[in-house]
Amino acid sequence: MGSWQWNDQQKPTSAVGVRATAGAVTMKDDPQAPQRPYVFVRGLDSKLHVNWWDGKAWHWSAQGAPTGRSIIEKVGAVTVQDGPNAAQRPYAFVIGDDSKLYVNWWDGSQWNWSDQGTPSGRLVREGVGVVTVQDNPSAPQRPYVFVITDDFRMWVNWWDGSKWNWSDQGTPPGRTISRPLGVTTMRDNPNAFTRPYAFVITDDSQVWVNWWDGSKWNWSNQGAPSGRPVKKGAGVVSVQDSPTAGERPYAFVQGYDSKLYVNWWDGKAWNWSDQGTPSGRLILDSVGTVTVKDGPSAFTRPYVFVIGDDSKLYVNWWDGKAWNWAAQGAPAGRVVERPGEAITVQDNPNAAQRPYAFVITDDSGLQVNWWSLP
C-alpha cells in the first residue's frame, strides 16, 4: 500500500529563498524512461531557479534571468517533444520587469533565454497558462502561451513549427478580462489533433473560455455556480473515461464563499458542481490540479490541491465513484504559506501515476507532498 510523504526540497541556496513557483513539468529522456520532476521557482533574488530530479537525487540549478532584467511573474512551464521517440525538453515562460514575455528553454544540450517580446504596442500583465499543441499524435509539439495584456485582452504567443507568432484572442463580448483561470487541451479521440481551451474570469466574476473548434476560435460564457461569483481559479485539467475516449475539460474555481467549485463537460453539456470545503475549514488558495491514472488502461481521476485557512494542505479527489476531501497536513514544524505546483510522476509507462504537490513554507523553502508506492 502506498502512502503520502512530505519532503523538504530546501532552497535554491542558503542565502536565496523561494518567492513563488514558476511552473512544473516531468521530463522523460526517452519514451520508456521514468518521468523526472522539474520545478521552476522565482527566487527572492528575482531570478529563475529549478529544482530537479536526476533519477537518484534532487538538485538546484540557477537558471538566471534574461540579460539586464529581473523576473516579476510566472506564466507557466511545459515540455516539448520534437517527435514521438524524442526526449522531452522543458520550456519555462516568465514575465520580465519590462513587462515582456521571456522563455528559458532546453535545446537538448544547453539552456537558453529567448525574448518573446509583446504584442505590438502592448505590455504583458499576467499569464493565463501554457500548453503544447499537436497536429496529430506523431507530429512535433508546439507551445501556445496565453497571457493577459495591459488593456485586459488575451493574447497567445505560439510556435507554428518555424517561427513564433502573436495572436489577439480579444475579450468575451461586452466584458473585460479580470483574472486568469487556466488552460488545457482537448482531443476528441486519441488520434485527433489537440485543441486549446483557455479559461478566464471576467469583471462580473463569471467564467469564460476561449477555445479552438478545429477551424476557428470561439468565446463561450460558462457562467458561475448558482448565486456564487467566482473569486479565482484553482486549475484546469482534461479528464478521459478510457484511453480511447474523448477528453473532457474540468475547470476548478474558488468562490467568494471560500468554497471549491468545478465547471465540467460531461460529453454533452457543461455542468457546475459544488465541491465544498474540507471539514470545518475554508479555502485560502489553490496549489494545482492534476489527473491521476492507476494504469495505462484506467480512466483519469482529478486531484485538486488547496490551502486551508489553517495554512495546511488539503486535496479534493475523485476515487472513481465519489469525491473525497483528505487532509494532507503540513511539513513538520512548518506552515504552508504560499501555493506552488502540482504534477504527476510515472516510474515507467505501465506504472500508476503518483501526485506531487509542491508548496512554499513560512521559511521561504520548497516542500513537496507526494504519493509513494510500496
Side-chain angles (χ1 to χ4, degrees), residues 228-307:
R228 297 294 178 187
V230 174
K231 183 179 182 180
K232 61 174 70 174
V236 184
V237 292
S238 290
V239 171
Q240 205 174 13
D241 297 324
S242 74
T244 58
E247 294 175 326
R248 302 184 291 108
Y250 278 49
F252 293 87
V253 301
Q254 181 183 332
Y256 278 95
D257 56 356
S258 298
K259 293 172 67 174
L260 184 69
Y261 298 90
V262 59
N263 183 232
W264 60 287
W265 175 253
D266 65 13
K268 296 180 180 178
W270 286 97
N271 307 270
W272 279 102
S273 295
D274 181 350
Q275 304 299 101
T277 65
S279 179
R281 302 263 58 104
L282 297 175
I283 296 170
L284 287 186
D285 215 334
S286 61
V287 174
T289 306
V290 295
T291 55
V292 174
K293 286 181 74 171
D294 298 320
S297 300
F299 53 87
T300 51
R301 301 185 292 109
Y303 279 51
V304 188
F305 294 89
V306 300
I307 302 170

Side-chain angles (χ1 to χ4, degrees), residues 49-368:
H49 303 265
V50 60
N51 184 230
W52 61 285
W53 175 255
D54 68 6
K56 296 180 179 179
W58 287 97
H59 305 269
W60 279 102
S61 295
Q63 305 299 101
T67 303
R69 302 263 59 102
S70 295
I71 296 168
I72 62 170
E73 189 63 76
K74 79 168 188 177
V75 178
V78 291
T79 54
V80 174
Q81 203 173 13
D82 298 321
N85 297 314
Q88 294 175 322
R89 300 185 292 105
Y91 280 51
F93 293 86
V94 298
I95 301 170
D97 58 354
D98 55 355
S99 297
K100 294 170 71 174
L101 181 68
Y102 294 89
V103 59
N104 183 234
W105 61 287
W106 177 254
D107 65 13
S109 58
Q110 65 180 9
W111 288 98
N112 306 271
W113 279 102
S114 293
D115 181 351
Q116 303 298 102
T118 65
S120 179
R122 299 264 58 99
L123 298 174
V124 177
R125 179 182 174 87
E126 59 187 323
V128 180
V130 189
V131 293
T132 55
V133 171
Q134 267 186 306
D135 298 323
N136 60 68
S138 59
Q141 293 176 331
R142 301 185 290 107
Y144 276 51
V145 189
F146 294 86
V147 300
I148 299 170
T149 47
D150 57 338
D151 57 353
F152 298 96
R153 296 169 72 91
M154 189 162 70
W155 287 75
V156 59
N157 184 232
W158 60 286
W159 177 254
D160 65 13
S162 58
K163 68 182 186 303
W164 286 97
N165 306 271
W166 280 102
S167 294
D168 183 0
Q169 305 300 101
T171 63
R175 298 259 59 101
T176 298
I177 296 172
S178 173
R179 300 176 292 284
L181 201 168
V183 295
T184 190
T185 56
M186 275 276 292
R187 281 188 197 267
D188 297 321
N189 61 70
N191 296 313
F193 53 86
T194 49
R195 301 188 290 109
Y197 279 51
F199 292 82
V200 297
I201 302 165
T202 47
D203 54 327
D204 57 352
S205 297
Q206 295 199 19
V207 174
W208 285 75
V209 60
N210 184 235
W211 60 287
W212 176 253
D213 66 11
S215 59
K216 67 181 186 305
W217 288 98
N218 306 270
W219 279 105
S220 295
N221 184 7
Q222 305 300 102
S226 179
R228 297 294 178 187
V230 174
K231 183 179 182 180
K232 61 174 70 174
V236 184
V237 292
S238 290
V239 171
Q240 205 174 13
D241 297 324
S242 74
T244 58
E247 294 175 326
R248 302 184 291 108
Y250 278 49
F252 293 87
V253 301
Q254 181 183 332
Y256 278 95
D257 56 356
S258 298
K259 293 172 67 174
L260 184 69
Y261 298 90
V262 59
N263 183 232
W264 60 287
W265 175 253
D266 65 13
K268 296 180 180 178
W270 286 97
N271 307 270
W272 279 102
S273 295
D274 181 350
Q275 304 299 101
T277 65
S279 179
R281 302 263 58 104
L282 297 175
I283 296 170
L284 287 186
D285 215 334
S286 61
V287 174
T289 306
V290 295
T291 55
V292 174
K293 286 181 74 171
D294 298 320
S297 300
F299 53 87
T300 51
R301 301 185 292 109
Y303 279 51
V304 188
F305 294 89
V306 300
I307 302 170
D309 58 355
D310 56 355
S311 296
K312 293 182 178 180
L313 183 68
Y314 294 87
V315 61
N316 184 232
W317 61 287
W318 175 253
D319 65 13
K321 296 180 180 178
W323 285 99
N324 306 270
W325 279 102
Q328 305 300 100
R334 302 260 61 103
V335 297
V336 178
E337 189 173 79
R338 281 162 281 166
E341 310 287 337
I343 56 174
T344 56
V345 174
Q346 203 174 16
D347 299 321
N348 62 68
N350 295 315
Q353 293 175 328
R354 300 185 291 110
Y356 280 50
F358 294 85
V359 298
I360 303 166
T361 45
D362 53 323
D363 60 346
S364 296
L366 186 69
Q367 298 259 0
V368 60

